[in-house]
Amino acid sequence: MKKLVLSLAFVSCTFFMSHAQKNQLLYENTQGRISSESTMNTYVQPLTVELEVIKNLRLAQGTQTIDGRVTLTYARDAEWVEKTMRGEMSEIRSWAVFQACKDCSADVILVPTFSFSNNRDNMGNIIDGYQITIVGFPAKFINWKTATPADYEWIKMEQTQTTDERENLRAIIK
């Protein structure tokens, strides 16, 4: 009799646990190159690249001036800002740069500036959500090439500078 009661309890617990597992949120996270084996360093010949501002750009949203500067505004609801981005301005700015690159088919947005504010209607009244405006120059990478000894000096100089030294340096145009 005890075996019958225990087996029924076990079956019912198994049934309820399997039923509860069907309501779980799906999540996936992937990372490569993790192992418990020995580690070997890999060295790759450094590359340098030039940037070209995309000047003839036609966007459905946003405006562009003759010099290539583009202004894009994205509206997001309060839940997205507060829950998805945790209200972190750095996260919101990173998302805006990503979205602007995607919309402009660009590799980078040069010298981006941001404005983050509440959404407003035509009368200027605050409505639900926020908007972020990004202004910058969409650019693409061109002329990839292997770094030269002159590039190595430049890279070495940048990597060995302190923050104070970086503020005092100015670009040299040859």
Side-chain angles (χ1 to χ4, degrees):
M1 182 70 173
K2 288 182 182 179
K3 288 183 182 180
L4 179 63
V5 171
L6 287 174
S7 63
L8 284 174
F10 177 74
V11 169
S12 63
C13 286
T14 305
F15 172 74
F16 287 121
M17 282 193 278
S18 66
H19 178 66
Q21 290 177 356
K22 292 179 184 176
N23 297 328
Q24 290 182 355
L25 176 67
L26 295 176
Y27 176 78
E28 182 177 339
N29 185 345
T30 305
Q31 182 175 357
R33 298 183 187 235
I34 298 282
S35 71
S36 59
E37 299 174 9
S38 62
T39 305
M40 292 183 281
N41 292 333
T42 304
Y43 300 98
V44 178
Q45 187 77 22
L47 296 174
T48 59
V49 65
E50 296 176 22
L51 287 170
E52 178 181 64
V53 174
I54 303 169
K55 292 189 177 181
N56 298 324
L57 187 62
R58 301 287 177 245
L59 298 172
Q61 130 185 25
T63 59
Q64 182 176 9
T65 60
I66 296 171
D67 62 356
R69 182 176 303 161
V70 67
T71 301
L72 296 165
T73 301
Y74 302 102
R76 301 304 297 197
D77 61 11
E79 182 179 358
W80 180 86
V81 170
E82 294 161 7
K83 291 186 180 174
T84 306
M85 294 287 137
R86 299 176 305 279
E88 303 261 344
M89 286 308 300
S90 62
E91 296 282 329
I92 296 166
R93 287 184 183 121
S94 294
W95 177 85
V97 169
F98 165 77
Q99 196 64 37
C101 286
K102 189 170 105 177
D103 290 346
C104 296
S105 297
D107 295 315
V108 295
I109 303 294
L110 298 174
V111 292
T113 56
F114 304 90
S115 173
F116 185 74
S117 62
N118 295 93
N119 278 338
R120 297 180 184 271
D121 62 11
N122 293 338
M123 303 296 289
N125 299 319
I126 296 174
I127 57 176
D128 184 43
Y130 300 93
Q131 69 180 17
I132 184 163
T133 301
I134 180 170
V135 178
F137 296 87
K140 61 183 177 179
F141 295 132
I142 60 169
N143 298 332
W144 287 90
K145 62 183 179 192
T146 304
T148 64
D151 296 324
Y152 293 141
E153 286 300 317
W154 184 23
I155 293 167
K156 183 179 177 182
M157 181 178 65
E158 183 184 270
Q159 289 180 348
T160 58
Q161 292 172 8
T162 66
T163 306
D164 291 338
E165 291 170 337
R166 286 185 189 156
E167 292 174 1
N168 293 329
L169 287 178
R170 300 291 180 248
I172 298 173
I173 301 173
K174 294 182 181 181

